[in-house]
mmCIF file with all atom_site columns, all heavy atoms in Angstrom:
data_model
loop_
_atom_site.group_PDB
_atom_site.id
_atom_site.type_symbol
_atom_site.label_atom_id
_atom_site.label_alt_id
_atom_site.label_comp_id
_atom_site.label_asym_id
_atom_site.label_entity_id
_atom_site.label_seq_id
_atom_site.pdbx_PDB_ins_code
_atom_site.Cartn_x
_atom_site.Cartn_y
_atom_site.Cartn_z
_atom_site.occupancy
_atom_site.B_iso_or_equiv
_atom_site.pdbx_formal_charge
_atom_site.auth_seq_id
_atom_site.auth_comp_id
_atom_site.auth_asym_id
_atom_site.auth_atom_id
_atom_site.pdbx_PDB_model_num
ATOM 1   N N   . SER A 1 29 ? 106.333 101.132 109.144 1.00 98.00 ? 1394 SER A N   1
ATOM 2   C CA  . SER A 1 29 ? 105.418 102.204 109.526 1.00 98.00 ? 1394 SER A CA  1
ATOM 3   C C   . SER A 1 29 ? 106.110 103.192 110.454 1.00 98.00 ? 1394 SER A C   1
ATOM 4   O O   . SER A 1 29 ? 107.067 102.856 111.148 1.00 98.00 ? 1394 SER A O   1
ATOM 5   C CB  . SER A 1 29 ? 104.161 101.644 110.187 1.00 98.00 ? 1394 SER A CB  1
ATOM 6   O OG  . SER A 1 29 ? 104.458 101.037 111.421 1.00 98.00 ? 1394 SER A OG  1
ATOM 7   N N   . ALA A 1 30 ? 105.590 104.412 110.431 1.00 98.00 ? 1395 ALA A N   1
ATOM 8   C CA  . ALA A 1 30 ? 106.070 105.492 111.287 1.00 98.00 ? 1395 ALA A CA  1
ATOM 9   C C   . ALA A 1 30 ? 104.850 106.218 111.834 1.00 98.00 ? 1395 ALA A C   1
ATOM 10  O O   . ALA A 1 30 ? 103.785 106.213 111.214 1.00 98.00 ? 1395 ALA A O   1
ATOM 11  C CB  . ALA A 1 30 ? 106.948 106.456 110.493 1.00 98.00 ? 1395 ALA A CB  1
ATOM 12  N N   . THR A 1 31 ? 105.020 106.854 112.999 1.00 98.00 ? 1396 THR A N   1
ATOM 13  C CA  . THR A 1 31 ? 103.890 107.531 113.639 1.00 98.00 ? 1396 THR A CA  1
ATOM 14  C C   . THR A 1 31 ? 104.041 109.037 113.719 1.00 98.00 ? 1396 THR A C   1
ATOM 15  O O   . THR A 1 31 ? 103.193 109.708 114.291 1.00 98.00 ? 1396 THR A O   1
ATOM 16  C CB  . THR A 1 31 ? 103.659 106.967 115.057 1.00 98.00 ? 1396 THR A CB  1
ATOM 17  O OG1 . THR A 1 31 ? 104.860 107.114 115.820 1.00 98.00 ? 1396 THR A OG1 1
ATOM 18  C CG2 . THR A 1 31 ? 103.263 105.496 114.991 1.00 98.00 ? 1396 THR A CG2 1
ATOM 19  N N   . ASP A 1 32 ? 105.126 109.570 113.179 1.00 98.00 ? 1397 ASP A N   1
ATOM 20  C CA  . ASP A 1 32 ? 105.273 111.025 113.111 1.00 98.00 ? 1397 ASP A CA  1
ATOM 21  C C   . ASP A 1 32 ? 106.090 111.401 111.884 1.00 98.00 ? 1397 ASP A C   1
ATOM 22  O O   . ASP A 1 32 ? 106.708 110.543 111.249 1.00 98.00 ? 1397 ASP A O   1
ATOM 23  C CB  . ASP A 1 32 ? 105.912 111.594 114.396 1.00 98.00 ? 1397 ASP A CB  1
ATOM 24  C CG  . ASP A 1 32 ? 107.333 111.126 114.635 1.00 98.00 ? 1397 ASP A CG  1
ATOM 25  O OD1 . ASP A 1 32 ? 108.219 111.432 113.801 1.00 98.00 ? 1397 ASP A OD1 1
ATOM 26  O OD2 . ASP A 1 32 ? 107.580 110.457 115.652 1.00 98.00 ? 1397 ASP A OD2 1
ATOM 27  N N   . GLY A 1 33 ? 106.052 112.677 111.543 1.00 98.00 ? 1398 GLY A N   1
ATOM 28  C CA  . GLY A 1 33 ? 106.696 113.144 110.327 1.00 98.00 ? 1398 GLY A CA  1
ATOM 29  C C   . GLY A 1 33 ? 108.211 113.012 110.322 1.00 98.00 ? 1398 GLY A C   1
ATOM 30  O O   . GLY A 1 33 ? 108.803 112.721 109.279 1.00 98.00 ? 1398 GLY A O   1
ATOM 31  N N   . GLU A 1 34 ? 108.841 113.217 111.465 1.00 98.00 ? 1399 GLU A N   1
ATOM 32  C CA  . GLU A 1 34 ? 110.304 113.100 111.503 1.00 98.00 ? 1399 GLU A CA  1
ATOM 33  C C   . GLU A 1 34 ? 110.756 111.667 111.267 1.00 98.00 ? 1399 GLU A C   1
ATOM 34  O O   . GLU A 1 34 ? 111.683 111.416 110.507 1.00 98.00 ? 1399 GLU A O   1
ATOM 35  C CB  . GLU A 1 34 ? 110.842 113.640 112.827 1.00 98.00 ? 1399 GLU A CB  1
ATOM 36  C CG  . GLU A 1 34 ? 110.781 115.146 112.908 1.00 98.00 ? 1399 GLU A CG  1
ATOM 37  C CD  . GLU A 1 34 ? 111.426 115.704 114.160 1.00 98.00 ? 1399 GLU A CD  1
ATOM 38  O OE1 . GLU A 1 34 ? 111.891 114.924 115.026 1.00 98.00 ? 1399 GLU A OE1 1
ATOM 39  O OE2 . GLU A 1 34 ? 111.460 116.940 114.270 1.00 98.00 ? 1399 GLU A OE2 1
ATOM 40  N N   . GLU A 1 35 ? 110.086 110.720 111.909 1.00 98.00 ? 1400 GLU A N   1
ATOM 41  C CA  . GLU A 1 35 ? 110.426 109.314 111.718 1.00 98.00 ? 1400 GLU A CA  1
ATOM 42  C C   . GLU A 1 35 ? 110.128 108.880 110.276 1.00 98.00 ? 1400 GLU A C   1
ATOM 43  O O   . GLU A 1 35 ? 110.931 108.194 109.644 1.00 98.00 ? 1400 GLU A O   1
ATOM 44  C CB  . GLU A 1 35 ? 109.645 108.446 112.705 1.00 98.00 ? 1400 GLU A CB  1
ATOM 45  C CG  . GLU A 1 35 ? 109.936 106.965 112.588 1.00 98.00 ? 1400 GLU A CG  1
ATOM 46  C CD  . GLU A 1 35 ? 109.085 106.117 113.521 1.00 98.00 ? 1400 GLU A CD  1
ATOM 47  O OE1 . GLU A 1 35 ? 108.067 106.595 114.051 1.00 98.00 ? 1400 GLU A OE1 1
ATOM 48  O OE2 . GLU A 1 35 ? 109.449 104.951 113.692 1.00 98.00 ? 1400 GLU A OE2 1
ATOM 49  N N   . GLY A 1 36 ? 108.978 109.303 109.758 1.00 98.00 ? 1401 GLY A N   1
ATOM 50  C CA  . GLY A 1 36 ? 108.617 108.986 108.387 1.00 98.00 ? 1401 GLY A CA  1
ATOM 51  C C   . GLY A 1 36 ? 109.606 109.557 107.392 1.00 98.00 ? 1401 GLY A C   1
ATOM 52  O O   . GLY A 1 36 ? 110.006 108.886 106.433 1.00 98.00 ? 1401 GLY A O   1
ATOM 53  N N   . HIS A 1 37 ? 110.015 110.825 107.620 1.00 98.00 ? 1402 HIS A N   1
ATOM 54  C CA  . HIS A 1 37 ? 111.004 111.458 106.739 1.00 98.00 ? 1402 HIS A CA  1
ATOM 55  C C   . HIS A 1 37 ? 112.308 110.680 106.753 1.00 98.00 ? 1402 HIS A C   1
ATOM 56  O O   . HIS A 1 37 ? 112.895 110.397 105.700 1.00 98.00 ? 1402 HIS A O   1
ATOM 57  C CB  . HIS A 1 37 ? 111.241 112.903 107.158 1.00 98.00 ? 1402 HIS A CB  1
ATOM 58  C CG  . HIS A 1 37 ? 112.276 113.582 106.329 1.00 98.00 ? 1402 HIS A CG  1
ATOM 59  N ND1 . HIS A 1 37 ? 113.566 113.751 106.771 1.00 98.00 ? 1402 HIS A ND1 1
ATOM 60  C CD2 . HIS A 1 37 ? 112.224 114.085 105.078 1.00 98.00 ? 1402 HIS A CD2 1
ATOM 61  C CE1 . HIS A 1 37 ? 114.269 114.362 105.818 1.00 98.00 ? 1402 HIS A CE1 1
ATOM 62  N NE2 . HIS A 1 37 ? 113.471 114.567 104.781 1.00 98.00 ? 1402 HIS A NE2 1
ATOM 63  N N   . TYR A 1 38 ? 112.765 110.312 107.932 1.00 98.00 ? 1403 TYR A N   1
ATOM 64  C CA  . TYR A 1 38 ? 114.014 109.565 108.063 1.00 98.00 ? 1403 TYR A CA  1
ATOM 65  C C   . TYR A 1 38 ? 113.938 108.235 107.303 1.00 98.00 ? 1403 TYR A C   1
ATOM 66  O O   . TYR A 1 38 ? 114.838 107.899 106.532 1.00 98.00 ? 1403 TYR A O   1
ATOM 67  C CB  . TYR A 1 38 ? 114.354 109.320 109.535 1.00 98.00 ? 1403 TYR A CB  1
ATOM 68  C CG  . TYR A 1 38 ? 115.554 108.433 109.711 1.00 98.00 ? 1403 TYR A CG  1
ATOM 69  C CD1 . TYR A 1 38 ? 116.841 108.939 109.543 1.00 98.00 ? 1403 TYR A CD1 1
ATOM 70  C CD2 . TYR A 1 38 ? 115.416 107.084 110.023 1.00 98.00 ? 1403 TYR A CD2 1
ATOM 71  C CE1 . TYR A 1 38 ? 117.955 108.116 109.675 1.00 98.00 ? 1403 TYR A CE1 1
ATOM 72  C CE2 . TYR A 1 38 ? 116.512 106.256 110.162 1.00 98.00 ? 1403 TYR A CE2 1
ATOM 73  C CZ  . TYR A 1 38 ? 117.776 106.779 109.987 1.00 98.00 ? 1403 TYR A CZ  1
ATOM 74  O OH  . TYR A 1 38 ? 118.873 105.965 110.110 1.00 98.00 ? 1403 TYR A OH  1
ATOM 75  N N   . LEU A 1 39 ? 112.858 107.479 107.542 1.00 98.00 ? 1404 LEU A N   1
ATOM 76  C CA  . LEU A 1 39 ? 112.731 106.187 106.872 1.00 98.00 ? 1404 LEU A CA  1
ATOM 77  C C   . LEU A 1 39 ? 112.673 106.349 105.354 1.00 98.00 ? 1404 LEU A C   1
ATOM 78  O O   . LEU A 1 39 ? 113.334 105.607 104.616 1.00 98.00 ? 1404 LEU A O   1
ATOM 79  C CB  . LEU A 1 39 ? 111.482 105.449 107.363 1.00 98.00 ? 1404 LEU A CB  1
ATOM 80  C CG  . LEU A 1 39 ? 111.558 104.878 108.775 1.00 98.00 ? 1404 LEU A CG  1
ATOM 81  C CD1 . LEU A 1 39 ? 110.200 104.350 109.215 1.00 98.00 ? 1404 LEU A CD1 1
ATOM 82  C CD2 . LEU A 1 39 ? 112.611 103.793 108.858 1.00 98.00 ? 1404 LEU A CD2 1
ATOM 83  N N   . GLY A 1 40 ? 111.894 107.297 104.876 1.00 97.00 ? 1405 GLY A N   1
ATOM 84  C CA  . GLY A 1 40 ? 111.780 107.517 103.441 1.00 97.00 ? 1405 GLY A CA  1
ATOM 85  C C   . GLY A 1 40 ? 113.068 108.001 102.806 1.00 97.00 ? 1405 GLY A C   1
ATOM 86  O O   . GLY A 1 40 ? 113.310 107.779 101.621 1.00 97.00 ? 1405 GLY A O   1
ATOM 87  N N   . ASP A 1 41 ? 113.893 108.658 103.599 1.00 96.00 ? 1406 ASP A N   1
ATOM 88  C CA  . ASP A 1 41 ? 115.171 109.176 103.110 1.00 96.00 ? 1406 ASP A CA  1
ATOM 89  C C   . ASP A 1 41 ? 116.266 108.111 103.093 1.00 96.00 ? 1406 ASP A C   1
ATOM 90  O O   . ASP A 1 41 ? 117.214 108.213 102.328 1.00 96.00 ? 1406 ASP A O   1
ATOM 91  C CB  . ASP A 1 41 ? 115.603 110.340 104.001 1.00 96.00 ? 1406 ASP A CB  1
ATOM 92  C CG  . ASP A 1 41 ? 116.094 111.535 103.233 1.00 96.00 ? 1406 ASP A CG  1
ATOM 93  O OD1 . ASP A 1 41 ? 115.790 111.658 102.039 1.00 96.00 ? 1406 ASP A OD1 1
ATOM 94  O OD2 . ASP A 1 41 ? 116.781 112.372 103.850 1.00 96.00 ? 1406 ASP A OD2 1
ATOM 95  N N   . THR A 1 42 ? 116.139 107.103 103.952 1.00 97.00 ? 1407 THR A N   1
ATOM 96  C CA  . THR A 1 42 ? 117.221 106.136 104.112 1.00 97.00 ? 1407 THR A CA  1
ATOM 97  C C   . THR A 1 42 ? 116.899 104.738 103.593 1.00 97.00 ? 1407 THR A C   1
ATOM 98  O O   . THR A 1 42 ? 117.806 103.912 103.508 1.00 97.00 ? 1407 THR A O   1
ATOM 99  C CB  . THR A 1 42 ? 117.627 106.020 105.594 1.00 97.00 ? 1407 THR A CB  1
ATOM 100 O OG1 . THR A 1 42 ? 116.489 105.613 106.355 1.00 97.00 ? 1407 THR A OG1 1
ATOM 101 C CG2 . THR A 1 42 ? 118.157 107.345 106.122 1.00 97.00 ? 1407 THR A CG2 1
ATOM 102 N N   . GLU A 1 43 ? 115.651 104.459 103.257 1.00 96.00 ? 1408 GLU A N   1
ATOM 103 C CA  . GLU A 1 43 ? 115.247 103.141 102.788 1.00 96.00 ? 1408 GLU A CA  1
ATOM 104 C C   . GLU A 1 43 ? 114.580 103.251 101.415 1.00 96.00 ? 1408 GLU A C   1
ATOM 105 O O   . GLU A 1 43 ? 113.913 104.243 101.140 1.00 96.00 ? 1408 GLU A O   1
ATOM 106 C CB  . GLU A 1 43 ? 114.260 102.500 103.776 1.00 96.00 ? 1408 GLU A CB  1
ATOM 107 C CG  . GLU A 1 43 ? 114.818 102.289 105.171 1.00 96.00 ? 1408 GLU A CG  1
ATOM 108 C CD  . GLU A 1 43 ? 115.929 101.255 105.224 1.00 96.00 ? 1408 GLU A CD  1
ATOM 109 O OE1 . GLU A 1 43 ? 115.935 100.320 104.395 1.00 96.00 ? 1408 GLU A OE1 1
ATOM 110 O OE2 . GLU A 1 43 ? 116.800 101.388 106.094 1.00 96.00 ? 1408 GLU A OE2 1
ATOM 111 N N   . PRO A 1 44 ? 114.723 102.231 100.583 1.00 96.00 ? 1409 PRO A N   1
ATOM 112 C CA  . PRO A 1 44 ? 114.092 102.266 99.256  1.00 96.00 ? 1409 PRO A CA  1
ATOM 113 C C   . PRO A 1 44 ? 112.642 101.748 99.309  1.00 96.00 ? 1409 PRO A C   1
ATOM 114 O O   . PRO A 1 44 ? 112.419 100.554 99.493  1.00 96.00 ? 1409 PRO A O   1
ATOM 115 C CB  . PRO A 1 44 ? 114.970 101.327 98.427  1.00 96.00 ? 1409 PRO A CB  1
ATOM 116 C CG  . PRO A 1 44 ? 115.491 100.341 99.431  1.00 96.00 ? 1409 PRO A CG  1
ATOM 117 C CD  . PRO A 1 44 ? 115.626 101.101 100.734 1.00 96.00 ? 1409 PRO A CD  1
ATOM 118 N N   . TYR A 1 45 ? 111.675 102.632 99.164  1.00 97.00 ? 1410 TYR A N   1
ATOM 119 C CA  . TYR A 1 45 ? 110.259 102.243 99.157  1.00 97.00 ? 1410 TYR A CA  1
ATOM 120 C C   . TYR A 1 45 ? 109.691 102.376 97.750  1.00 97.00 ? 1410 TYR A C   1
ATOM 121 O O   . TYR A 1 45 ? 110.051 103.285 97.016  1.00 97.00 ? 1410 TYR A O   1
ATOM 122 C CB  . TYR A 1 45 ? 109.452 103.105 100.128 1.00 97.00 ? 1410 TYR A CB  1
ATOM 123 C CG  . TYR A 1 45 ? 109.806 102.833 101.561 1.00 97.00 ? 1410 TYR A CG  1
ATOM 124 C CD1 . TYR A 1 45 ? 110.648 103.683 102.265 1.00 97.00 ? 1410 TYR A CD1 1
ATOM 125 C CD2 . TYR A 1 45 ? 109.327 101.698 102.207 1.00 97.00 ? 1410 TYR A CD2 1
ATOM 126 C CE1 . TYR A 1 45 ? 111.006 103.417 103.572 1.00 97.00 ? 1410 TYR A CE1 1
ATOM 127 C CE2 . TYR A 1 45 ? 109.682 101.424 103.511 1.00 97.00 ? 1410 TYR A CE2 1
ATOM 128 C CZ  . TYR A 1 45 ? 110.518 102.285 104.192 1.00 97.00 ? 1410 TYR A CZ  1
ATOM 129 O OH  . TYR A 1 45 ? 110.872 102.004 105.485 1.00 97.00 ? 1410 TYR A OH  1
ATOM 130 N N   . ASP A 1 46 ? 108.782 101.476 97.422  1.00 97.00 ? 1411 ASP A N   1
ATOM 131 C CA  . ASP A 1 46 ? 108.094 101.527 96.141  1.00 97.00 ? 1411 ASP A CA  1
ATOM 132 C C   . ASP A 1 46 ? 106.860 102.412 96.211  1.00 97.00 ? 1411 ASP A C   1
ATOM 133 O O   . ASP A 1 46 ? 106.436 102.958 95.198  1.00 97.00 ? 1411 ASP A O   1
ATOM 134 C CB  . ASP A 1 46 ? 107.692 100.114 95.701  1.00 97.00 ? 1411 ASP A CB  1
ATOM 135 C CG  . ASP A 1 46 ? 108.914 99.220  95.540  1.00 97.00 ? 1411 ASP A CG  1
ATOM 136 O OD1 . ASP A 1 46 ? 109.731 99.507  94.650  1.00 97.00 ? 1411 ASP A OD1 1
ATOM 137 O OD2 . ASP A 1 46 ? 109.060 98.257  96.314  1.00 97.00 ? 1411 ASP A OD2 1
ATOM 138 N N   . ALA A 1 47 ? 106.281 102.537 97.407  1.00 98.00 ? 1412 ALA A N   1
ATOM 139 C CA  . ALA A 1 47 ? 105.084 103.362 97.608  1.00 98.00 ? 1412 ALA A CA  1
ATOM 140 C C   . ALA A 1 47 ? 105.037 103.842 99.055  1.00 98.00 ? 1412 ALA A C   1
ATOM 141 O O   . ALA A 1 47 ? 105.608 103.202 99.950  1.00 98.00 ? 1412 ALA A O   1
ATOM 142 C CB  . ALA A 1 47 ? 103.827 102.573 97.289  1.00 98.00 ? 1412 ALA A CB  1
#
Side-chain angles (χ1 to χ4, degrees):
S1394 66
T1396 57
D1397 64 63
E1399 287 185 357
E1400 180 184 16
H1402 178 259
Y1403 174 78
L1404 287 172
D1406 225 19
T1407 59
E1408 299 293 331
Y1410 292 101
D1411 300 295

